Amino acid sequence: MYDVNKVRADFPILAREVNGQPLTYLDNGASAQKPQAVIDAVTRGYDNEYANVHRGLHYLSNLSTDRYEAVRGIIARFLNAGSEDEIILNSGTTEGINMVAYSWAAPRMVEGDEIVLSTMEHHANIVPWHFLRERQGVRLVWVDPEPDGSLDPAKVLAAITPRTRLVAVTHCSNVLGTVVDVKTIVAGAHDKGVPVLVDGSQGAVHMKVDVQDIGADFYPITGHKLYGPSGSGAIYVRAERLAEMQPFMGGGDMIREVTKDAVSYADPPMKFEAGTPAIVPTIGLGVALEYLMDLGMDNVAAHEARLASYARERFKALNWLNIQGDAPGKAAIFSMTVEGGAHAHDISTILDKKGIAVRAGHHCAQPLMEHLGVPATARASFALYNTEAEVDRLVEGLELCHRLFS
Amino acid sequence: MATEAFEELAEDFEFLDDWEDRYAHVIELGKAMPPLEDALKVPATKVDGCASQVWLMPEIENGTFRFRGDSDALIVRGIVAVLTRLYNGVPVDEVPKIDAAAELGRLGLHEHLSAQRSNGLRAMVERINKLALEAV
């Protein structure tokens, strides 16, 4: 039995007040709070176990390296990667996708080649591809979501042409909460010989992910959304693709040998990890993922599904509230507008006064906002520690917004 | 002593004792303010540095500062309306001497002082001061 109150007790920040009200933290889509175990690991990392990794032969360097390298295995287990050598540690999904653009896509794409994207991608899964459009004449081919916010895999696959070199699609929309059937998309794209990048920034937070089952070629994740420290993250890259990738950033740690005339590289994944990494945040991420696996991602997903269906039920009674996206099985992410002229910033300002944290704006998904025809929304995104009582508090806050603004 | 219009506003706010009432009043002030014509919502009048969109249109005559403004967010529109009462009718050389944060504090809108970046109060006041200085 999932005991949400026990879970909440693991997150010290949830006990604080904001504006004289108990904190109701519903901005998890932007970044999640950290359990005590992660906070302790970060503190321990600095106060007792810190040194650079992979370099020294002294005691602390070895300890730090052991702790850091263990995280690769933890991530491989979390994503069910075939091998921990397919896990590249980095600062998160943005870096992961940029690396794919520079290391894998740019060297193999020419003018007129195509990348298929959904309209509901986050800017992190758009802008790196725009770079290729600007610099190399690559064409971006967009697939719109259905009116309910779902993404039809058949439409994604129908957008593939002989010039398609990559499909890049989110596992879970950060605005609509739509969970995309990436397995079907990957299978269909692979039939046509096209690799697929699945943006796991939100998906890995809300459900159990098996990258081998999905078949993804690239699956980036973001540590700070996974209850780990900011500055941590990783990307799963299938061994086949890893072998095709050129180094991205050059520097320490990624080399075998450097002379005045030549350079040879370390084997993957080190080949793609230049410079001193975010050592302690990465160690913290390992602890966060262990925490999630101890809870069980299926249990987390079930808890969030209960919250989502309760929230949908409560929102239904508010006939002045518009929720963007109602795809079956959507994650507990609700982008809202209130009828009566209130701007998303108005809503978030009033909710903040009630101690409720939501995000207001375009959510780094401007093409989607344009498609939806709304300039901005207020987004409530739930996490494993949120409760039905917090849904009630949100509804009260929204009712106050409706009273004030209509 | 601020303008008469602002002092009247401060008196109104004295009767509002909780934040909901103060916000409701700010929102009402925003709703009552005539909107800026779309033709005037151009890059030149737009104030950068606000989370929502804000436009300020100066109307300075004979050394007296006046402006009109607008925003797509209702609370920010209300703050613009408050600022019109604070600044309109003030001699241009007096405009930069006004401590807008302190004056809004008198209305009990303190949180707008700590959240200056997000609601753009600072950016609006900077724009007002710049417009006044250009007119001196």
Side-chain angles (χ1 to χ4, degrees):
Chain A
M1 184 61 198
Y2 190 87
D3 183 350
V4 70
N5 289 319
K6 191 162 164 285
V7 170
R8 287 181 73 79
D10 292 333
F11 291 78
I13 201 170
L14 298 180
R16 72 160 287 170
E17 292 191 344
V18 166
N19 289 325
Q21 308 269 344
L23 168 65
T24 301
Y25 188 77
L26 301 178
D27 194 19
N28 299 286
S31 201
Q33 301 297 347
K34 320 306 171 196
Q36 189 65 50
V38 169
I39 298 165
D40 289 346
V42 170
T43 304
R44 189 171 61 242
Y46 283 122
D47 77 13
N48 206 38
E49 299 180 345
Y50 187 77
N52 209 333
V53 291
H54 304 144
R55 307 273 206 291
L57 292 172
H58 55 82
Y59 177 85
L60 282 180
S61 181
N62 286 333
L63 179 63
S64 183
T65 303
D66 285 349
R67 293 261 191 271
Y68 178 81
E69 278 300 321
V71 177
R72 212 182 290 281
I74 296 170
I75 295 171
R77 209 153 29 89
F78 182 71
L79 296 176
N80 195 33
S83 155
E84 66 175 65
D85 289 341
E86 295 173 314
I87 303 297
I88 298 167
L89 300 170
N90 60 24
S91 63
T93 296
T94 298
E95 185 181 341
I97 298 177
N98 275 277
M99 184 201 70
V100 174
Y102 280 91
S103 300
W104 183 82
R108 58 202 312 107
M109 291 192 194
V110 297
E111 190 172 350
D113 282 347
E114 295 169 357
I115 299 173
V116 173
L117 302 167
S118 92
T119 301
M120 58 187 182
E121 298 310 311
H122 185 283
H123 292 165
N125 197 22
I126 296 174
V127 182
W129 313 123
H130 266 309
F131 289 167
L132 301 189
R133 181 191 56 76
E134 287 181 339
R135 296 167 193 177
Q136 299 177 214
V138 168
R139 283 190 62 225
L140 306 186
V141 177
W142 298 91
V143 181
D144 287 340
E146 303 303 304
D148 71 351
S150 60
L151 186 68
D152 182 353
K155 287 192 180 166
V156 176
L157 297 175
I160 293 175
T161 75
R163 294 302 300 271
T164 304
R165 297 287 170 265
L166 178 71
V167 173
V169 69
T170 188
H171 197 178
C172 174
S173 163
N174 69 314
V175 177
L176 305 175
T178 304
V179 176
V180 175
D181 179 4
V182 288
K183 192 175 172 180
T184 301
I185 290 172
V186 170
H190 282 181
D191 280 347
K192 301 180 182 189
V194 177
V196 181
L197 180 145
V198 178
D199 177 350
S201 198
Q202 299 287 342
V205 182
H206 299 294
M207 66 196 107
K208 191 170 191 170
V209 171
D210 182 334
V211 288
Q212 294 186 83
D213 180 55
I214 293 169
D217 294 272
F218 307 97
Y219 194 98
I221 58 171
T222 299
H224 69 85
K225 294 188 203 290
L226 286 160
Y227 309 94
S230 55
S232 67
I235 182 170
Y236 159 82
V237 181
R238 212 153 102 96
E240 262 177 277
R241 300 284 89 75
L242 215 45
E244 295 168 347
M245 272 165 45
Q246 294 182 2
F248 173 30
M249 294 209 288
D253 246 22
M254 52 78 76
I255 54 96
R256 177 162 292 132
E257 194 179 11
V258 181
T259 68
K260 285 182 176 172
D261 302 317
V263 55
S264 57
Y265 305 113
D267 290 330
M270 302 301 293
K271 187 178 179 179
F272 303 100
E273 295 179 6
T276 293
I279 299 165
V280 173
T282 302
I283 292 168
L285 173 59
V287 173
L289 297 182
E290 293 279 23
Y291 178 85
L292 286 171
M293 288 187 280
D294 284 348
L295 283 178
M297 283 308 289
D298 286 335
N299 296 328
V300 168
H303 172 72
E304 292 184 5
R306 279 194 299 274
L307 280 179
S309 82
Y310 181 68
R312 283 164 100 149
E313 208 48 51
R314 297 265 0 229
F315 293 156
K316 249 185 228 160
L318 313 178
N319 57 9
W320 37 264
L321 184 74
N322 297 316
I323 304 282
Q324 301 293 337
D326 193 33
K330 76 175 251 174
I333 296 172
F334 299 94
S335 279
M336 307 173 291
T337 52
V338 171
E339 282 170 15
H343 191 279
H345 293 132
D346 291 320
I347 297 166
S348 69
T349 301
I350 297 302
L351 293 178
D352 182 50
K353 295 292 293 177
K354 304 286 277 180
I356 303 166
V358 298
R359 168 109 184 252
H362 54 61
H363 315 296
C364 298
Q366 286 178 341
L368 176 61
M369 302 308 275
E370 195 197 343
H371 173 78
L372 297 171
V374 292
T377 67
R379 179 188 67 185
S381 48
F382 291 80
L384 54 82
Y385 41 62
N386 290 122
T387 64
E388 294 187 349
E390 289 180 306
V391 174
D392 293 339
R393 241 176 272 154
L394 172 64
V395 169
E396 277 170 34
L398 291 168
E399 281 169 339
L400 174 60
C401 290
H402 179 58
R403 278 205 303 281
L404 284 172
F405 294 115
S406 62
Chain B
M1 193 70 176
T3 64
E4 206 173 305
F6 190 81
E7 291 301 334
E8 277 175 23
L9 192 64
E11 276 175 36
D12 293 344
F13 270 85
E14 273 176 31
F15 293 101
L16 307 172
D17 31 50
D18 69 6
W19 71 267
E20 282 186 35
D21 290 343
R22 283 197 293 274
Y23 269 74
H25 197 53
V26 168
I27 292 161
E28 285 310 314
L29 290 169
K31 283 184 179 166
M33 184 174 70
L36 206 58
E37 302 85 311
D38 282 347
L40 295 175
K41 292 179 181 173
V42 293
T45 59
K46 191 162 176 205
V47 181
D48 293 326
C50 306
S52 42
Q53 300 197 82
V54 178
W55 301 267
L56 298 183
M57 176 71 196
E59 292 177 341
I60 300 166
E61 259 181 68
N62 303 322
T64 298
F65 188 81
R66 302 196 81 80
F67 79 97
R68 292 191 295 138
D70 209 341
S71 170
D72 55 355
L74 290 173
I75 294 172
V76 178
R77 256 182 81 80
I79 297 291
V80 172
V82 169
L83 292 177
T84 60
R85 284 164 175 75
L86 185 60
Y87 285 102
N88 283 0
V90 172
V92 283
D93 54 343
E94 297 288 323
V95 163
K97 295 177 193 163
I98 294 174
D99 184 346
E103 297 293 344
L104 263 71
R106 285 173 58 201
L107 306 185
L109 299 172
H110 299 90
E111 57 283 0
H112 278 281
L113 316 179
S114 57
Q116 283 179 358
R117 255 191 90 239
S118 60
N119 69 52
L121 176 65
R122 188 193 340 231
M124 286 188 268
V125 170
E126 275 173 11
R127 174 63 67 91
I128 287 169
N129 287 339
K130 186 165 166 277
L131 293 170
L133 281 171
E134 284 167 2
V136 168

